[in-house]
Amino acid sequence: MIAHFDIDAFYASAAQLDDPSLRGKPLVVSGSSRRAVVLTASYEARPFGVRSAMPLYQAKTRCPDLLVVPPNFQRYRELSRAVFAILETGARAVEGLSLDEAFVELESNDLDGAIAYARGVRARVRGEVGLTVSAGVATQKMVAKIASDEAKPDGLRAVAPGDEAAYLAPMPVARLWGIGPKTQARLALERIERIEQIATLSDEAAFRIFGRWGRELRELARGNDQRRVEPERETRSVSTEETFEEDLSDPAALEWIVVQAAHEVAERLAAHGLRGATIGVKLKLADFSAIVRQTTVAEPTRDGALIAAAALRCLERAELGGRAVRLAGVRVARLTEDSLEQLSLL
Amino acid sequence: MKFQCSTKDIAVAVGAASKVVNAHTTVPILSNVLLSTAEDGIRVRATDLELTLEHQFPAQIVEPGSVTVPAKLFSGYLGNLPPGLLELSGTPTRASVKCERSNYDFHALPPDEYPPLPSAQRGASFAIDAKRFRDGIGAVIFAASSEEARGAVLMGTMLELSGDRLTMVATDGYRLAKWETELARGLGEEGTVKYVVPSRALAEAARNLGNTETVEVSALGPAGNQLAFAAERTSIVVRLVDGQYPNYSQVIPSQFDRSLRVNTNALMASLRRAELLAGDRASMIKMSVANQELIITANSDTTGNAYEELEIEQTGDDLAIAFNARYLVEILSHVDSPQVVMEFLGPLSPAAIRPGEPVEGQQQMYVLMPLRQ
């Protein structure tokens, strides 16, 4: 069995954990500049329509009493480490997706055992770390992730073996991995709105609509996801990316996001005991085209400031010229063990 | 304008200038070279606004004036001409070239839109033997950073002038190159003057000025923020890097407590072989010095083990230290001496590398930081 865990409103919850006066109040983690963007909104802020990646000024308009807390990636790393340590007990493999999200392949092969594990993790994270984490349990990755999304906040959702297809059937097609707005538009023309309609496509129709990967997508829709949980030692790159609620065209706001992402990646490198030499930026534009720019630094690093500077150079080289961006991310690859360090003269 | 000249002279001059042109410029006129008539020839100028190169070649002037031509295109054309004479006549919008039985018209841009030469106001100046200057540039600029992310200062090379001495220093923070020599003519001023010069400008200077006797170097502009390098027919003007260069003398240990002397080529060959097996571990090679022997090892889980033994002249205590082999090989390849001397303080302290047989009148040294395991 596979479980997916996601810490609820991680950055915001971390702030509320450390400062009790913030608890129960609408708050966002964001920068202080006028151009800053919301990194995480607390659950108290969400009823006001405040969402992550929203420009801060807009969030403040929607929620005049909004509190703003600066990010503290070092603290997030500490908390993340504590949570991941809890996940390890009873796990065959743990694949961290970011500081606050992971897949776990369980030693237990039955549903009850998996649910017991997930309950145990949730209770321990609450008791020992002080955060709430939502969990999804299923026989495969995609269903487990969808289930934990459904369970949010502070919930657990399990899908029994054999029930995957039925669980997915009524959901909108956008929940499937790999279906972006472009494919969605295409599917709308075909009047395909729910996952079960993809599950029942013929080979021919699947190929006609999706091309080469049609069959694979149909298998996903039928609840057949063969992907394994890849444990840490196979890590080849560390990255983080964010899709914005609304396309972002303000260059300063985008730069700010990229700098934050660089610092998050730096903390994750540190958490994994790694350094990386190739630093890249990934952007998806409003027209769904993708731009990737990368650069290699002379010495593998996990210095957030250097990763940020390199990422900003990549962003500059992307020559956006004010074009709107719907997704931005930072990736560090060509990883080496942290223990080997080129000493510096300066 | 109109002039006649040898196809070879103009091809060399335009070819040299076009190397300065930034292929990705968004300002159309900066893709062009400017040709202007002078008293006894033609001046070709190219600039990317940071670096300006001007080269003069002999020509028969028929009608004075200037013209601008797309650099890459024109230099490609000239490079394919047979030896002989050509005639060029230019207007603000066209450059027409006749050579034997070929006639070409190139679209031009108005020469008065070409960026003017930097201020001619000269400040402090010095002169250096051209061959020596070229050697010094070759010995240091490779050690400068090539990462814009680490800032323009480390991408530059520092020229420090003090009395009759010039010291050039380049570092990327992991290795440092230092080279010193006597000047043909010093600044003639008290105190020390420092310039941080973009390293690529020095590379251009070495390429274009090295075949002459002496290079004249002078500060330009009211703030002295540009440096001009001139020799015979060529001059290069570069905008200096604005920023504080790291205090390099602070990071070079004043003395070392152990050293080894070894054959340069043998060491380099051993390192190159060993590095092949260290590729996926930061190119780490380990050096162990004991009993007048140097043992180099490298290993990785995926490739295997390397072991090399070299005879050395050892002075002082034994030592085990690890380096990135790429850095060490790159330094050694700039040491033009049969023997090389390496000096150490300990496994986590900077090591110095110097030629075993120094060139008279020049001091060359490198500092390399080890790897921590």
Side-chain angles (χ1 to χ4, degrees):
Chain A
M1 295 292 287
I2 289 171
H4 177 265
F5 292 95
D6 195 345
I7 305 175
D8 298 324
F10 181 36
Y11 300 169
S13 305
Q16 290 174 325
L17 172 68
D18 291 345
D19 181 351
S21 74
L22 300 175
R23 290 178 200 167
K25 296 191 180 150
L27 76 89
V28 292
V29 175
S30 181
S32 53
S33 86
R34 216 170 44 79
R35 293 284 181 69
V37 173
V38 173
L39 288 177
T40 306
S42 73
Y43 278 95
E44 294 84 356
R46 296 188 186 185
F48 293 93
V50 175
R51 299 276 182 274
S52 60
M54 177 182 277
L56 184 59
Y57 69 86
Q58 197 180 341
K60 280 180 169 166
T61 316
R62 292 195 181 181
C63 177
D65 294 331
L66 193 67
L67 300 170
V68 183
V69 180
N72 179 354
F73 287 102
Q74 217 164 333
R75 178 67 177 139
Y76 305 151
R77 168 157 57 110
E78 283 169 21
L79 292 169
S80 171
R81 245 188 208 163
V83 172
F84 274 69
I86 292 171
L87 296 182
E88 294 285 349
T89 325
R92 191 173 287 156
V94 177
E95 175 183 345
L97 300 173
S98 61
L99 285 173
D100 59 354
E101 199 184 342
F103 281 115
V104 176
E105 190 183 318
L106 302 177
E107 282 165 10
S108 163
N109 270 329
D110 68 297
L111 185 67
D112 290 343
I115 291 175
Y117 166 84
R119 280 203 181 119
V121 166
R122 286 179 18 85
R124 281 187 65 194
V125 170
R126 182 193 301 275
E128 296 169 28
V129 187
L131 294 170
T132 64
V133 51
S134 295
V137 171
T139 51
Q140 39 137 313
K141 278 172 128 178
M142 187 185 72
V143 175
K145 176 158 166 67
I146 292 175
S148 84
D149 281 350
E150 287 228 309
K152 271 188 168 301
D154 196 15
L156 165 65
R157 178 83 166 86
V159 178
D163 288 355
E164 296 87 358
Y167 174 69
L168 294 173
M171 292 187 177
V173 290
R175 301 300 289 272
L176 278 186
W177 281 353
I179 298 213
K182 210 175 192 174
T183 315
Q184 254 182 79
R186 180 85 210 277
L187 289 171
L189 287 178
E190 304 270 347
R191 297 184 172 277
I192 296 178
E193 284 153 6
R194 281 169 297 113
I195 291 180
E196 68 183 332
Q197 290 172 278
I198 294 178
T200 53
L201 286 176
S202 67
D203 280 2
E204 192 194 343
F207 183 82
R208 182 173 54 79
I209 300 170
F210 303 107
R212 271 185 302 138
W213 59 293
R215 217 184 267 205
E216 198 183 323
L217 194 70
R218 189 187 57 191
E219 288 312 301
L220 279 182
R222 288 176 176 175
N224 299 327
D225 178 7
Q226 303 295 331
R227 274 164 288 201
R228 298 286 306 260
V229 172
E230 310 272 358
E232 306 290 11
R233 63 185 143 76
E234 293 174 24
T235 304
R236 310 215 93 191
S237 68
V238 173
S239 63
T240 181
E241 60 183 49
E242 179 143 30
T243 307
F244 309 132
E245 194 106 324
E246 282 167 39
D247 294 348
L248 201 62
S249 52
D250 178 349
L254 189 58
E255 281 172 20
W256 189 82
I257 293 244
V258 164
V259 169
Q260 302 311 310
H263 283 281
E264 187 191 326
V265 169
E267 291 302 330
R268 287 182 51 209
L269 287 168
H272 295 185
L274 293 168
R275 291 168 196 273
T278 298
I279 296 159
V281 162
K282 173 179 166 185
L283 301 161
K284 273 196 186 149
L285 304 187
D287 65 1
F288 304 115
S289 58
I291 299 179
V292 174
R293 291 286 179 277
Q294 62 179 42
T295 181
T296 297
V297 296
E299 285 303 327
T301 183
R302 57 176 171 79
D303 173 4
L306 179 58
I307 294 172
L312 285 177
R313 276 293 302 147
C314 292
L315 184 62
E316 201 180 313
R317 277 175 31 216
E319 293 180 350
L320 286 174
R323 280 179 291 167
V325 170
R326 54 185 299 271
L327 173 149
V330 170
R331 173 175 178 270
V332 174
R334 266 187 59 193
L335 304 177
T336 52
E337 309 157 47
D338 191 22
S339 60
L340 211 56
E341 184 192 0
Q342 169 66 52
L343 297 175
S344 177
L345 272 167
L346 304 175
Chain B
M1 72 159 340
K2 194 171 186 174
F3 65 84
Q4 287 153 358
C5 67
S6 110
T7 55
K8 180 164 174 273
D9 287 347
I10 188 171
V12 167
V14 172
S18 66
K19 288 207 171 64
V20 170
V21 170
N22 174 0
H24 305 295
T25 181
T26 50
V27 185
I29 193 104
L30 294 183
S31 304
N32 285 17
V33 289
L34 174 72
L35 279 69
S36 341
T37 53
E39 262 178 35
D40 51 350
I42 299 292
R43 287 201 192 111
V44 183
R45 195 199 310 163
T47 183
D48 65 0
L49 299 181
E50 181 187 70
L51 180 63
T52 302
L53 187 141
E54 196 170 78
H55 196 88
Q56 190 167 335
F57 64 88
Q60 185 82 41
I61 313 292
V62 182
E63 189 191 327
S66 25
V67 67
T68 77
V69 202
K72 301 286 172 202
L73 179 66
F74 194 46
S75 126
Y77 162 76
L78 295 173
N80 282 297
L81 286 179
L85 286 177
L86 69 69
E87 182 180 89
L88 187 149
S89 41
T91 71
T93 56
R94 190 162 297 249
S96 307
V97 184
K98 280 185 206 164
C99 176
E100 292 186 356
R101 298 172 71 179
S102 78
N103 277 313
Y104 281 71
D105 281 341
F106 295 91
H107 291 300
L109 290 168
D112 52 3
E113 283 178 18
Y114 208 81
L117 260 187
S119 161
Q121 186 182 335
R122 282 174 195 266
S125 79
F126 62 92
I128 180 168
D129 175 85
K131 184 191 173 300
R132 200 166 269 196
F133 191 40
R134 192 180 60 204
D135 288 350
I137 291 169
V140 300
I141 60 169
F142 76 91
S145 165
S146 54
E147 289 166 19
E148 288 179 54
R150 289 173 62 89
V153 168
L154 289 186
M155 293 177 77
T157 294
M158 195 205 44
L159 271 55
E160 184 179 80
L161 292 129
S162 182
D164 283 343
R165 291 197 78 73
L166 166 68
T167 307
M168 289 202 273
V169 175
T171 179
D172 64 0
Y174 308 115
R175 68 252 169 106
L176 177 146
K178 177 169 167 249
W179 183 90
E180 268 183 88
T181 193
E182 292 271 317
L183 292 168
R185 192 187 76 245
L187 273 185
E189 286 178 18
E190 292 291 309
T192 303
V193 180
K194 291 180 186 177
Y195 302 111
V196 184
V197 185
S199 297
R200 64 186 195 93
L202 293 175
E204 287 301 326
R207 183 163 36 225
N208 291 290
L209 306 169
N211 298 325
T212 51
E213 284 276 303
T214 23
V215 176
E216 279 283 331
V217 187
S218 32
L220 287 189
N225 64 344
Q226 313 202 41
L227 217 51
F229 301 89
E232 286 185 2
R233 302 181 166 276
T234 308
S235 74
I236 288 169
V237 178
V238 63
R239 191 182 300 278
L240 296 171
V241 180
D242 191 18
Q244 188 75 34
Y245 201 79
N247 186 352
Y248 69 92
S249 54
Q250 229 167 38
V251 302
I252 304 176
S254 52
Q255 52 187 3
F256 296 87
D257 62 10
R258 48 205 120 162
S259 71
L260 64 85
R261 174 182 277 269
V262 63
N263 179 292
T264 312
N265 288 334
L267 176 59
M268 208 156 37
S270 295
L271 288 168
R272 282 192 167 128
R273 287 190 295 265
E275 189 207 339
L276 295 173
L277 274 77
D280 58 347
R281 295 202 68 210
S283 295
M284 180 177 72
I285 55 94
K286 294 181 193 174
M287 290 173 60
S288 138
V289 182
N291 306 320
Q292 304 294 317
E293 243 179 21
L294 167 64
I295 294 169
I296 296 171
T297 54
N299 64 75
S300 93
D301 295 341
T302 49
T303 49
N305 301 311
Y307 177 95
E308 298 269 351
E309 249 178 43
L310 286 165
E311 265 181 40
I312 57 168
E313 266 175 53
Q314 179 189 349
T315 317
D317 289 347
D318 295 349
L319 173 78
I321 192 167
F323 289 109
N324 180 326
R326 275 185 298 117
Y327 285 154
L328 198 46
V329 167
E330 198 173 11
I331 287 172
L332 293 170
S333 67
H334 289 87
V335 173
D336 187 15
S337 162
Q339 304 257 311
V340 63
V341 174
M342 295 186 71
E343 294 170 289
F344 309 93
L345 273 170
L348 299 179
S349 303
I353 297 128
R354 303 175 210 265
E357 299 80 14
V359 179
E360 208 191 314
Q362 303 183 16
Q363 278 181 38
Q364 182 182 5
M365 83 170 292
Y366 300 94
V367 178
L368 176 61
M369 285 305 284
L371 280 167
R372 194 211 317 258
Q373 302 168 51

